[in-house]
Amino acid sequence: MRTGKEKVPRIPLAPVLLALSLAAGNVSLAPAAYALSELHKIPGQAANDTPAAPGNAQGQSQPQGGAAPNVPMADPLVKNQNNQSVDKTPGAEDNSKPVEVIYDISKVPEPVRKMREQIVEAAASGDLERLRPLMGTGADQTQVTVGEPTEDPIGTLKDLSGDPDGDEILAIMLDIVSTGFVHVGQGTPDDMYVWPYFAEKDLKSLTPPERVELLRIVTAGDLSDMQEFGGYNFYRLGITPEGKWKFFTAGD
């Protein structure tokens, strides 16, 4: 006896739908698969385009960032030291040939070594006049100002010093020739050994020890101004390979 609540055998729905689809001539379930592919559709691909076979670059799905898999990214604007081109700091000099800083005075010619030694002895004495015999005369006179040579280099150095006896300028001279130095202008009329090496170095690339060494000569405010200016502009001293004291000047 049926009660109205008797269970009726349930026919699975999926086979029925499949049969109806086959009967209607639709033999592919592609619409459902295609709907999934729409999630990663390549921009610009028409809705009825047939996806390319795997391995075809046009058929590969593309990340939302816009870069296709296995495609190399563009080179960075600034390359590191291992690359051929290196972005240069604005205001820096040409660093294609790194500056070689020399600390070993025995590596320089004997005339250079002798002149430096005489300058150190005269400056350490506290007597500015002891520099005069080292400075030459006429066209060979040591340059102590930028521009036209002065008639009395010792008097000019005394005027540049912060004290009436010239002790400050002698102390600066000692500090300058106590640093590392560089050899510049090899094979030219400007062949010279120059102290300090900061005169030929990009100040924005200084290492911490180099900064400390420079701050033994100038103040932190001076260093900041130099970096803004684009180079070292304090006193520098130059001696030719023949041992001639060429200059002791401040400026760029």
Side-chain angles (χ1 to χ4, degrees):
M1 178 177 180
R2 297 181 181 273
T3 62
K5 297 181 181 181
E6 184 175 355
K7 296 182 179 180
V8 179
R10 181 176 298 175
I11 302 174
L13 181 60
V16 173
L17 293 178
L18 178 60
L20 291 176
S21 298
L22 293 175
N26 183 6
V27 295
S28 172
L29 296 181
Y34 185 75
L36 292 176
S37 68
E38 281 287 310
L39 295 176
H40 298 288
K41 185 176 67 175
I42 299 175
Q45 183 181 22
N48 60 354
D49 284 351
T50 301
N56 187 335
Q58 295 182 349
Q60 293 176 348
S61 61
Q62 186 171 355
Q64 294 181 359
N70 300 324
V71 177
M73 298 297 293
D75 290 339
L77 294 178
V78 179
K79 299 183 180 181
N80 60 30
Q81 296 179 353
N82 294 327
N83 291 329
Q84 292 296 322
S85 60
V86 180
D87 185 57
K88 296 180 180 179
T89 305
E93 296 182 9
D94 183 8
N95 291 325
S96 58
K97 294 183 179 180
V99 175
E100 180 186 0
V101 180
I102 308 170
Y103 285 94
D104 188 355
I105 193 64
S106 67
K107 293 183 177 181
V108 305
E110 177 62 25
V112 178
R113 188 161 59 249
K114 184 177 179 180
M115 174 56 74
R116 177 189 175 276
E117 184 178 311
Q118 290 176 319
I119 292 173
V120 169
E121 290 176 352
S125 73
D127 183 0
L128 198 59
E129 281 293 333
R130 288 189 57 177
L131 292 174
R132 191 180 296 275
L134 308 177
M135 303 185 103
T137 58
D140 292 331
Q141 180 179 288
T142 301
Q143 182 182 2
V144 294
T145 57
V146 177
E148 293 297 324
T150 177
E151 293 182 1
D152 181 11
I154 296 300
T156 300
L157 289 179
K158 185 176 290 187
D159 292 340
L160 292 172
S161 186
D163 67 291
D165 298 321
D167 292 341
E168 182 187 54
I169 206 74
L170 291 175
I172 292 173
M173 194 175 295
L174 280 174
D175 285 340
I176 294 299
V177 296
S178 297
T179 68
F181 56 98
V182 292
H183 186 193
V184 299
Q186 294 94 321
T188 73
D190 296 323
D191 196 343
M192 198 91 54
Y193 290 88
V194 178
W195 286 260
Y197 66 90
F198 305 109
E200 301 294 329
K201 190 173 179 66
D202 174 17
L203 298 187
K204 293 184 179 180
S205 68
L206 296 180
T207 64
E210 288 172 337
R211 284 176 56 87
V212 171
E213 188 173 12
L214 178 53
L215 289 173
R216 295 177 60 187
I217 303 173
V218 302
T219 66
D222 292 333
L223 174 55
S224 178
D225 290 342
M226 288 179 188
Q227 290 176 327
E228 184 176 352
F229 170 76
Y232 176 86
N233 57 11
F234 195 51
Y235 284 96
R236 67 195 71 195
L237 186 149
I239 302 175
T240 68
E242 296 76 29
K244 181 183 181 301
W245 184 6
K246 189 72 173 178
F247 59 80
F248 177 68
T249 59
D252 58 349

